[in-house]
Amino acid sequence: MVAKFKGQYGTGLESWTYLGQNYLIVDRALIPDILMLLRDGEQFDYCVDLTAAHYPTREKQFEVIWILYSFERNERVRVKTSIAEGDSIPTAVGIWPTANWLEREVYDMFGIQFAGHPDMKRILLPDGWKGHPLRKDYGILQQDQEWVQINLGIESGQ
Protein backbone atom coordinates (compact mmCIF):
# COMPACT_ATOMS: atom_id res chain seq x y z
CA MET A 1 0.00 0.00 0.00
CA VAL A 2 2.73 2.47 0.99
CA ALA A 3 4.82 1.66 -2.11
CA LYS A 4 1.78 2.34 -4.29
CA PHE A 5 1.08 5.66 -2.56
CA LYS A 6 4.76 6.70 -2.66
CA GLY A 7 4.86 6.01 -6.37
CA GLN A 8 1.94 8.38 -6.80
CA TYR A 9 2.86 11.08 -4.23
CA GLY A 10 6.64 10.80 -3.80
CA THR A 11 8.23 12.60 -0.87
CA GLY A 12 4.95 13.89 0.58
CA LEU A 13 4.42 10.54 2.26
CA GLU A 14 6.38 8.50 4.79
CA SER A 15 5.49 5.33 6.63
CA TRP A 16 6.47 4.06 10.06
CA THR A 17 5.65 1.12 12.24
CA TYR A 18 5.99 1.39 16.00
CA LEU A 19 5.06 -1.50 18.30
CA GLY A 20 2.99 -3.05 15.53
CA GLN A 21 1.12 0.18 14.82
CA ASN A 22 1.28 1.47 11.22
CA TYR A 23 1.58 5.21 10.58
CA LEU A 24 1.46 7.26 7.42
CA ILE A 25 3.01 10.69 7.80
CA VAL A 26 1.49 12.82 5.07
CA ASP A 27 2.06 16.33 3.78
CA ARG A 28 -0.90 18.54 4.71
CA ALA A 29 -1.73 19.26 1.06
CA LEU A 30 -2.15 15.54 0.34
CA ILE A 31 -4.49 14.75 3.24
CA PRO A 32 -7.81 14.78 1.30
CA ASP A 33 -6.41 12.55 -1.46
CA ILE A 34 -4.75 10.09 0.90
CA LEU A 35 -7.83 9.79 3.12
CA MET A 36 -10.04 9.14 0.08
CA LEU A 37 -7.59 6.54 -1.25
CA LEU A 38 -7.50 4.81 2.11
CA ARG A 39 -11.29 4.65 2.22
CA ASP A 40 -12.01 3.77 -1.40
CA GLY A 41 -8.92 1.87 -2.48
CA GLU A 42 -7.74 0.24 0.72
CA GLN A 43 -11.10 -0.35 2.47
CA PHE A 44 -10.41 1.75 5.59
CA ASP A 45 -14.12 2.35 5.97
CA TYR A 46 -14.28 3.54 9.58
CA CYS A 47 -12.73 6.64 11.15
CA VAL A 48 -12.22 5.38 14.69
CA ASP A 49 -10.79 8.59 16.10
CA LEU A 50 -9.33 11.93 15.19
CA THR A 51 -7.11 13.80 17.57
CA ALA A 52 -4.19 16.20 17.74
CA ALA A 53 -1.01 16.86 19.68
CA HIS A 54 0.56 20.23 20.47
CA TYR A 55 4.31 20.83 20.32
CA PRO A 56 4.72 24.56 21.02
CA THR A 57 8.46 24.69 20.23
CA ARG A 58 8.08 23.31 16.69
CA GLU A 59 7.58 25.48 13.62
CA LYS A 60 4.51 23.41 12.79
CA GLN A 61 3.09 23.20 16.30
CA PHE A 62 0.30 20.70 15.73
CA GLU A 63 0.04 17.12 14.61
CA VAL A 64 -3.41 15.99 13.48
CA ILE A 65 -3.94 12.23 13.68
CA TRP A 66 -6.67 10.09 12.10
CA ILE A 67 -7.06 6.52 13.34
CA LEU A 68 -8.72 4.42 10.66
CA TYR A 69 -9.96 0.85 10.65
CA SER A 70 -10.69 -1.60 7.85
CA PHE A 71 -13.32 -4.20 8.70
CA GLU A 72 -12.42 -6.15 5.56
CA ARG A 73 -8.72 -6.30 6.44
CA ASN A 74 -9.10 -6.24 10.25
CA GLU A 75 -6.36 -3.62 10.28
CA ARG A 76 -5.75 -0.15 11.68
CA VAL A 77 -3.68 2.65 10.26
CA ARG A 78 -2.87 6.07 11.64
CA VAL A 79 -2.46 9.06 9.36
CA LYS A 80 -0.54 12.05 10.71
CA THR A 81 0.13 15.50 9.35
CA SER A 82 1.73 18.61 10.82
CA ILE A 83 0.27 22.09 10.62
CA ALA A 84 1.31 25.51 11.85
CA GLU A 85 -0.63 27.75 14.20
CA GLY A 86 -3.50 29.39 12.29
CA ASP A 87 -3.46 26.90 9.39
CA SER A 88 -6.57 24.93 8.63
CA ILE A 89 -6.94 21.41 7.34
CA PRO A 90 -9.67 20.08 5.02
CA THR A 91 -12.58 18.37 6.73
CA ALA A 92 -13.01 14.60 6.45
CA VAL A 93 -16.76 14.73 7.17
CA GLY A 94 -17.56 13.98 3.53
CA ILE A 95 -15.34 10.89 3.69
CA TRP A 96 -16.43 9.56 7.10
CA PRO A 97 -19.48 11.17 8.77
CA THR A 98 -18.02 10.11 12.15
CA ALA A 99 -15.36 12.81 11.67
CA ASN A 100 -17.99 15.51 12.34
CA TRP A 101 -17.93 15.58 16.13
CA LEU A 102 -14.30 14.44 16.28
CA GLU A 103 -13.22 17.50 14.27
CA ARG A 104 -15.32 19.73 16.51
CA GLU A 105 -13.60 18.27 19.57
CA VAL A 106 -10.15 18.93 18.08
CA TYR A 107 -11.25 22.48 17.28
CA ASP A 108 -12.58 22.96 20.81
CA MET A 109 -9.55 21.54 22.61
CA PHE A 110 -6.72 22.71 20.28
CA GLY A 111 -8.17 25.52 18.13
CA ILE A 112 -7.48 23.72 14.84
CA GLN A 113 -9.92 24.71 12.09
CA PHE A 114 -11.25 22.16 9.58
CA ALA A 115 -12.01 23.93 6.29
CA GLY A 116 -15.38 22.99 4.85
CA HIS A 117 -16.75 21.53 8.09
CA PRO A 118 -20.57 21.87 8.15
CA ASP A 119 -20.79 23.18 11.75
CA MET A 120 -17.36 24.23 13.07
CA LYS A 121 -18.11 25.30 16.63
CA ARG A 122 -17.26 24.20 20.14
CA ILE A 123 -18.67 20.87 21.27
CA LEU A 124 -17.48 20.41 24.88
CA LEU A 125 -16.96 23.92 26.23
CA PRO A 126 -19.41 26.83 26.18
CA ASP A 127 -19.34 29.09 23.11
CA GLY A 128 -17.83 32.03 25.01
CA TRP A 129 -14.94 30.04 26.50
CA LYS A 130 -11.50 31.52 25.90
CA GLY A 131 -8.58 29.31 25.01
CA HIS A 132 -8.07 25.68 24.09
CA PRO A 133 -7.35 23.46 27.12
CA LEU A 134 -5.31 20.69 25.46
CA ARG A 135 -2.63 23.06 24.21
CA LYS A 136 0.51 22.76 26.25
CA ASP A 137 0.64 26.53 26.76
CA TYR A 138 -2.79 26.53 28.45
CA GLY A 139 -2.16 26.72 32.20
CA ILE A 140 -3.28 23.62 34.10
CA LEU A 141 -5.30 25.69 36.58
CA GLN A 142 -6.44 28.22 34.00
CA GLN A 143 -10.13 28.87 33.71
CA ASP A 144 -12.09 31.49 31.94
CA GLN A 145 -12.62 33.62 35.06
CA GLU A 146 -14.81 36.10 33.21
CA TRP A 147 -17.10 33.36 31.83
CA VAL A 148 -17.54 31.80 35.27
CA GLN A 149 -18.41 35.17 36.82
CA ILE A 150 -20.83 36.21 34.06
CA ASN A 151 -22.56 32.87 33.49
CA LEU A 152 -22.47 31.29 36.94
CA GLY A 153 -22.43 34.45 39.07
CA ILE A 154 -19.68 33.10 41.32
CA GLU A 155 -15.96 33.56 41.79
CA SER A 156 -13.82 30.79 40.41
CA GLY A 157 -12.53 28.29 42.94
CA GLN A 158 -9.02 28.41 41.43
Side-chain angles (χ1 to χ4, degrees):
M1 175 177 73
V2 172
K4 179 170 54 172
F5 287 0
K6 276 192 167 228
Q8 191 170 355
Y9 294 104
T11 60
L13 175 73
E14 297 177 42
S15 66
W16 295 88
T17 298
Y18 180 72
L19 297 175
Q21 306 293 318
N22 297 318
Y23 291 85
L24 296 176
I25 301 169
V26 179
D27 184 90
R28 177 177 153 252
L30 300 177
I31 283 295
D33 292 342
I34 295 295
L35 294 180
M36 286 291 287
L37 282 171
L38 286 167
R39 186 195 69 183
D40 296 341
E42 301 299 326
Q43 301 172 319
F44 285 93
D45 41 10
Y46 178 45
C47 180
V48 176
D49 200 4
L50 169 62
T51 191
H54 183 218
Y55 301 95
T57 58
R58 293 183 183 174
E59 181 180 338
K60 293 184 177 181
Q61 294 185 23
F62 299 98
E63 283 186 355
V64 180
I65 304 118
W66 293 260
I67 302 170
L68 310 176
Y69 181 73
S70 169
F71 289 99
E72 179 71 25
R73 299 160 65 136
N74 190 26
E75 183 181 342
R76 290 181 194 272
V77 67
R78 285 151 182 80
V79 178
K80 295 185 352 175
T81 194
S82 297
I83 64 170
E85 171 75 41
D87 285 349
S88 67
I89 193 150
T91 185
V93 171
I95 302 170
W96 299 285
T98 56
N100 189 324
W101 285 15
L102 300 171
E103 289 178 357
R104 286 180 58 197
E105 181 180 6
V106 169
Y107 165 71
D108 200 1
M109 296 291 108
F110 293 94
I112 298 169
Q113 295 275 344
F114 291 85
H117 189 282
D119 192 21
M120 185 92 295
K121 64 181 183 181
R122 289 192 180 270
I123 192 169
L124 300 172
L125 295 172
D127 289 335
W129 196 265
K130 292 184 177 83
H132 304 282
L134 291 183
R135 289 184 177 204
K136 291 191 174 125
D137 53 6
Y138 190 86
I140 195 161
L141 296 178
Q142 183 177 351
Q143 276 192 53
D144 188 336
Q145 302 281 345
E146 180 183 337
W147 187 93
V148 170
Q149 178 63 44
I150 291 168
N151 292 285
L152 301 179
I154 61 173
E155 293 296 321
S156 171
Q158 298 296 329

